[in-house]
């Protein structure tokens, strides 16, 4: 344990971290939560750094300055790139944990092998394995999300994949256990690096079979790994702050991933090993009958919405891709001005990360009081005159409710089909993330508005404002 | 607003049982080794139990608090917890700071750089997102 | 710290205690909560007892057997005596904490004074002071609640009371601090007992000026002291289970007392030092004008309720005193049978302990779905045909809402006065706990039904059943 | 059912600050004494910080969990926490059990008796009360 004054700071920091997360339960207090979290982090760093045995100040200041130099631009990325940034950041976190564990191991090995008790070795091995998996796994996930050309988007599957992966993991754990029991053995010189290499490989192989669109769930899981790595580091360094903060993180990742799995009606195992939306599966689906559909123009859509009294806008991933949120807010403003009740129906997994639509609409200055959760909006759907689907697909797919052979059967959806009229903006009749047909588009009351979401919504706005300058 | 309970007691029960089993495994191996062999640390070595308690209790707090975070804020929550996981910075300082051999300090320095990157980008982007959430336009 | 296997049991016990309280959030899981709590206690006892240095088995078994022999009958007391039992039990808890602290102190003093570090001494002193206060304070509170003849019910006040009390407490803390800094000093032989005696006296003097009816709040506060004493004991014995369980307890007492203070619209300090409802205060109040009132008979009340479509029953302390809950349930059954909608309006501080009415009605087999909380029932009050007030007084006193000079002004009440007709059952026009007049009884639409609640409700039931055999 | 939040963050903040201050006071006095004077415990003595962490975290959990207890069950809650406070039994065993001088064991024995009384009566009466709560008559 650290000296008393350091522990006191750690205690206060722990309390602040807890408040930080507690305050996230309401948008009104959420910014205070960020301040509390930052303050806690500052206390933790200051108290640690202030200890007399910390002497390499120059070297550390350099690292901090570099960290700020890289971190600041990373905080200015477009919000559409937020998932990639989070993944990249987890990779850094995993790297840090792995490096600290490795450093501590070699330090003890050379200076006092008797310090390498079983407990500490177990913690070090756990830290290093979790850190390495998080590192490569997150890097790979970030690459998939960024749609880097040389990283396959579609799940890559091959025979015995899961068997191979599990064998690898078992190998790492096995070697780790052996090391824990014989920490100072001469073989350690190559066995410890072997564990590192296996864990790094496992991180990649774990992500390879998972489709790009499952990445948000994977990121949440990796978040919880990063937290657990910090906990293990805390056990190694006998540091309570690392344990508490890491445990909070671990819990957060766990709960977010569970929320996402539930909202997609899938199990954890299915996400990790199911290779959902793999090429083969999609192909079969594509063969299904292509429904009839009717296209319409933004102009007539504008006319009809103008006369409606109750419009529900259902945004999805397409709005994020097209960066259409600002146009959508203009549409919202114009309709409101004409006395139309406009609300946004937010599906928990619309887009590519939890809360994705909320951030985009908040960015465009839509007041969050007009964002309605799925359960509440479904109740009012029959009273809705126009449902405007903007780049959403799976989250309004009636197959989830009606077709029990569909892979998304059982996933709760926004019941756009219950509205009197439906307009759907998308670029083509291509399916969405789950790769399946959507019967809503061939429904009698549905009109398709083909085109990029930003452009189409812009056209509608232009029509409503009766002014060519708005677009 | 109706919130679902994502973690039924059963799940938590199983999790805590798992933690307990882990503990048991550690105990079974660890006690004799540490007490008998580690000189100079004889009294301190077996005191990892308080840390296990701290871990269990923080996990409970985390589950309780996160379950109540507003749905609206799940994206900022992800980046906030990402920033919090940069607490690894404390470990980085402990490796990079003391008068250790240079290769160890190098590892610590890289870890410090990586963690600071996360701290800075994590908190700033979270705050940037949260600034955008407004109940009505006038605020 | 204890050996690993003991700590493992402690860890599981801690988790079980947390679940135990967590499951109390719903009546459906509450009994499971008790089981979890008992299991946790069993694990804690078993793991502690199983340690090899525990050798006095005979002596301890004797203590346990005696404890069971006394504890079992205490668990069978009438539910009206539940507050006294809880208070008595806190006294035992305080006693145990004080004895353990004292024992440990003298043990270390004789066997190894160097073990008495400042930290441990602070913890021992805190444990002993908290334990002693809890012991005498709870005993005295139990006596007041039991209405023992030789313990004054009314608050006893005298000049400079608070000054004296605070001086005493400061003396105990002062001596304790000095002892903590000089633990093995020869003066300890009489200083330590002095601290004990002062703390014991303080416990009594703290309770003397508090009226019998404020006892529930005091009991909750003493509960939190008992918890904190256990925490201090945990610090002394370096025992994590004592710390966690004690902290849970401390939090519980704190929150319950805050809830009660809020529901009575009073501050903590006012409860502890306000001598609320003291003789002088009541006298002044009694002089106020005695309102006009109209009495009625159970028979006509039965007639009117039979014809009502919506009846709200508002029980209070009088129902508990008269043990009328079974009769009330019969009334509820008869009215239900006739198609009348009957609900119970439960004020958070009706009766003499939080949730008092809920337990009584549950005892009489009233389904808890028909118990409505204050805020919900107040909304529906204007649609209510008959409000039947059974032995409640302060919780329906309109002065709390209307008369800003009233001592209970600002306390939220059940708005019986908004119902079309009010029947009020009590034995006289005497005031209730707060000792103030109730304008509801002199309201135009109110009819008084004088008599013991059990008897009066029995009469109404007899009338409704048209059958003399029911009473 | 609308539940009020009984403990605004401010209050909790102040409480935790108070705990922090208490800690500070202890630190100021305690560190030199223990490290320098206590033989045989040199490594173990200053390790009370984990206990302070455990205390803080359990208090948070307690506040979070108790705030959510149903109003309906406040009376049983009081007797349940009363039973839980009988955890002092663990301390009683540690004083009554070992081969200590008889007067110490006597103190321990009385404490054990008192705690067992609480355990037995507390859990039994709580269960007795809870058994009576029924959603509808048929259950
Ligand atoms: N949010 C999360 O946390 C999360 C996590 C994991 C998985 N998921 C999954 O992601 C899916 C989200 O559903 P969703 O309905 O939002 O999205 P979706 O089902 O992927 O559909 C998006 C639709 O937007 C259209 N689109 C793409 N770019 C566009 C553009 N520039 N302009 C106009 N339209 C465009 C696409 O059709 P065209 O190509 O024809 O334009 C596509 O059909 C769900 O299946 C969910 O399970 C979400
Ligand atoms: N529940 C808690 O946690 C708690 C804690 C602390 C303080 N308190 C205080 O306790 C009070 C509770 O209010 P309350 O309205 O329930 O009680 P109350 O104001 O004390 O009134 C009880 C009424 O019942 C009548 N009564 C007594 N025995 C009776 C019998 N055998 N038959 C018929 N009537 C009988 C009394 O009038 P007669 O004498 O004329 O019959 C009295 O007016 C509040 O002031 C509250 O602040 C409650």
């Amino acid at each position: 344990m650290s000296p008393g004054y350091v522990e006191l700071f750690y205690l206060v920091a722990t309390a602040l971290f807890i408040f930080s997360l507690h305050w996230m339960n309401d948008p009104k207090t959420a910014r205070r939560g960020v301040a509390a979290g930052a303050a806690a982090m500052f206390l933790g760093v200051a108290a640690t750094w202030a200890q007399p045995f910390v002497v390499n100040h120059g070297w550390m200041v350099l690292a901090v300055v570099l960290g700020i130099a890289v971190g600041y631009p990373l905080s200015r990325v477009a919000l559409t790139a937020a998932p990639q940034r989070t993944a990249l950041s987890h990779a850094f976190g995993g790297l840090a944990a792995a490096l600290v564990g490795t450093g501590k191991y070699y330090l003890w090995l050379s200076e006092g092998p008797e310090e390498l008790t079983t407990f500490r070795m177990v913690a070090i091995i756990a830290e290093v394995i979790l850190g390495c998996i998080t590192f490569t796994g997150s890097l790979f996930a970030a690459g998939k999300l960024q749609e880097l050309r040389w990283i396959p988007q579609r799940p890559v599957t091959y025979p015995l994949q899961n068997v191979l992966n599990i064998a690898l993991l078992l190998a790492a754990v096995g070697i780790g256990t052996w090391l824990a029991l014989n920490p100072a053995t001469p073989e350690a010189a190559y066995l410890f690096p072997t564990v590192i290499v296996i864990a790094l490989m496992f991180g990649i192989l774990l992500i390879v079979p998972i489709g790009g669109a499952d990445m948000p769930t994977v990121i949440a899981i990796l978040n919880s790994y990063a937290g657990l790595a910090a906990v293990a580091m805390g056990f190694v360094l006998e540091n309570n702050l690392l344990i508490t903060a890491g445990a909070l993180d671990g819990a957060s990742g766990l709960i977010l991933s569970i929320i996402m799995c539930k909202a997609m009606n899938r199990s954890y195992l299915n996400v990790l090993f199911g290779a959902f939306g793999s090429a083969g599966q999609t192909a079969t689906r594509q063969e299904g009958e292509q429904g009839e559909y009717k296209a319409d123009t933004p102009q007539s859509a504008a006319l009809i919405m103008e006369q409606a009294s109750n419009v529900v806008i259902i945004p999805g991933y397409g709005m994020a891709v097209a960066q259409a949120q600002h146009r959508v807010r203009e549409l919202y403003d114009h309709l409101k001005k004409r006395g139309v009740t406009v609300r946004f129906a937010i599906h928990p997994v619309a887009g590519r990360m939890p809360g994705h639509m909320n951030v985009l609409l908040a960015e465009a200055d839509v007041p969050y009081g007009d964002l309605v959760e799925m359960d509440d909006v479904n109740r009012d759907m029959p009273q809705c005159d126009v449902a405007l689907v903007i780049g959403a697909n799976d989250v309004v797919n009636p197959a989830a409710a009606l077709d029990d052979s569909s892979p998304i059967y059982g996933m709760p959806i926004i019941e756009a089909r219950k509205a009197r009229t439906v307009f759907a903006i998308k670029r083509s009749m291509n399916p969405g993330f789950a790769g399946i047909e959507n019967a809503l588009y061939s429904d009698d009351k549905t009109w398709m508005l083909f085109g990029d979401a930003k452009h189409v919504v812009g056209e509608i706005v232009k029509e409503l404002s009766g002014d060519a300058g708005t677009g | 607003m109706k919130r679902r309970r994502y973690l039924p007691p059963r799940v938590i029960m199983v999790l805590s049982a798992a933690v307990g089993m882990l503990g048991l495994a550690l105990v079974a191996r660890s006690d004799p080794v540490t007490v008998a062999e580690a000189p100079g640390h004889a009294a301190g070595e077996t005191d990892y139990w308080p840390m296990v308690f701290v871990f269990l209790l923080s996990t409970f707090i985390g589950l309780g608090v996160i379950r109540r975070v507003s749905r609206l804020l799940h994206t900022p929550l992800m980046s906030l917890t990402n920033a919090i996981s940069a607490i690894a910075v404390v470990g980085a300082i402990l490796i990079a700071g003391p008068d250790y051999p240079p290769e160890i300090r190098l590892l610590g320095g890289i870890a410090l750089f990586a963690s600071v990157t996360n701290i800075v980008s994590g908190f700033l982007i979270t705050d940037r997102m949260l600034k955008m959430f407004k109940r009505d336009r006038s605020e």
Side-chain angles (χ1 to χ4, degrees), chain A residues 213-214 216-217 260 264 315-318 321-322 348-354 391-395 411 425-434 451-453:
Chain A
D214 262 342
T217 321
M260 282 187 263
M264 296 188 292
Y317 181 57
V321 176
V349 293
R352 285 297 178 267
M353 54 186 179
N393 192 337
D394 298 341
V395 300
M411 160 171 155
I425 305 178
K426 62 201 297 284
R427 294 164 308 182
S428 65
M429 286 304 284
N430 288 343
F433 154 57
D452 178 77

Side-chain angles (χ1 to χ4, degrees), chain A residues 1 10 17-18 20-22 24-25 27 30-31 34 37-38 41 45 48 53-56 59-60 63-64 66-68 70-72 74-77 79 85-86 89-90 92-93 96 99-100 103-104 107 114-115 117-120 122 181 219 223 231 233 235 237-239 241-245 247-249 251-252 255-256 258-259 332-333 348 353-356 358-359 362-363 365 367-368 373, chain B residues 1 3 6-7 15 26 29-30 33-34 38-39 41 45 48 51-52 54-55 58-59 61-63 65-101 104-107 109-137:
Chain A
M1 297 295 148
Y10 285 176
F17 276 134
I18 293 171
S20 169
L21 293 175
H22 173 73
M24 290 295 282
N25 70 2
R31 287 191 70 197
V34 177
M41 191 62 81
V45 170
T48 312
F53 57 75
V54 175
V55 289
N56 294 316
W59 173 227
M60 287 163 65
V64 170
L66 280 181
I68 296 178
V70 175
Y72 184 75
L74 270 179
S75 78
R76 313 304 305 169
V77 298
L79 286 185
R85 192 212 62 88
T86 307
S89 177
H90 284 322
F92 281 13
L99 290 178
V100 170
K104 201 74 194 172
L107 194 71
E114 72 282 356
E115 298 270 1
T117 62
T118 308
F119 176 76
R120 285 182 174 165
V122 169
L181 301 180
I219 290 180
N223 186 358
V231 170
M233 192 193 292
F235 284 132
L237 303 173
E238 295 181 16
N239 187 303
L241 181 58
L242 280 167
I243 298 177
T244 52
L248 292 176
D249 253 2
S252 162
I255 289 194
L256 281 180
I258 290 178
I259 288 177
Y332 162 88
D333 283 343
M353 54 186 179
H356 201 165
N358 299 306
V359 208
E363 186 193 358
D365 228 20
Y368 61 77
E373 286 191 18
Chain B
M1 222 187 314
R3 295 212 187 95
Y6 293 104
L7 279 182
L15 286 177
L26 294 175
R29 272 297 317 170
S30 223
V33 178
T34 53
H41 264 76
E45 273 307 26
Y48 52 80
M51 298 196 278
V52 178
V54 168
F55 175 48
S58 322
T59 305
I61 293 182
L63 295 177
V65 170
I66 303 278
R67 264 169 53 185
R68 297 191 167 79
V69 168
S70 161
R71 281 254 171 115
L72 211 58
L73 301 180
H74 275 168
T75 298
L77 173 68
M78 277 181 95
S79 54
L80 180 65
T81 54
N82 173 243
I84 292 181
S85 78
I87 191 66
V89 69
V90 167
I93 295 178
L94 291 175
I95 295 289
D99 200 11
Y100 288 152
I104 304 274
R105 272 156 46 198
L106 179 67
L107 294 184
I110 300 176
L112 184 57
F113 157 74
S115 314
V116 171
T117 309
N118 284 356
I119 297 178
V120 173
S121 65
F123 284 116
L124 285 183
I125 202 169
T126 310
D127 197 53
R128 206 179 116 209
M129 286 184 210
L130 289 175
K131 246 189 292 196
M132 302 182 310
F133 282 87
K134 302 197 185 76
R135 171 150 282 286
D136 56 52
R137 208 68 65 72

Side-chain angles (χ1 to χ4, degrees), chain A residues 3 28 81 84 91 123 137 171 180-181 207 238-239 284 289 316 323 366 370 403 466:
Chain A
K28 279 197 282 297
Q84 292 91 296
L181 301 180
I207 306 302
E238 295 181 16
N239 187 303
T284 357
E289 40 140 8
Q323 284 289 299
V366 174
D370 281 338
D403 173 9

Side-chain angles (χ1 to χ4, degrees), chain A residues 395-428:
Chain A
V395 300
V396 291
N397 194 335
L402 306 176
D403 173 9
D404 62 5
S405 71
S406 164
I408 63 168
Y409 180 70
M411 160 171 155
I413 56 157
I414 294 181
E415 291 171 335
R417 67 203 154 97
K418 298 222 173 127
R420 288 197 195 101
T421 311
V422 177
F423 288 106
I425 305 178
K426 62 201 297 284
R427 294 164 308 182
S428 65

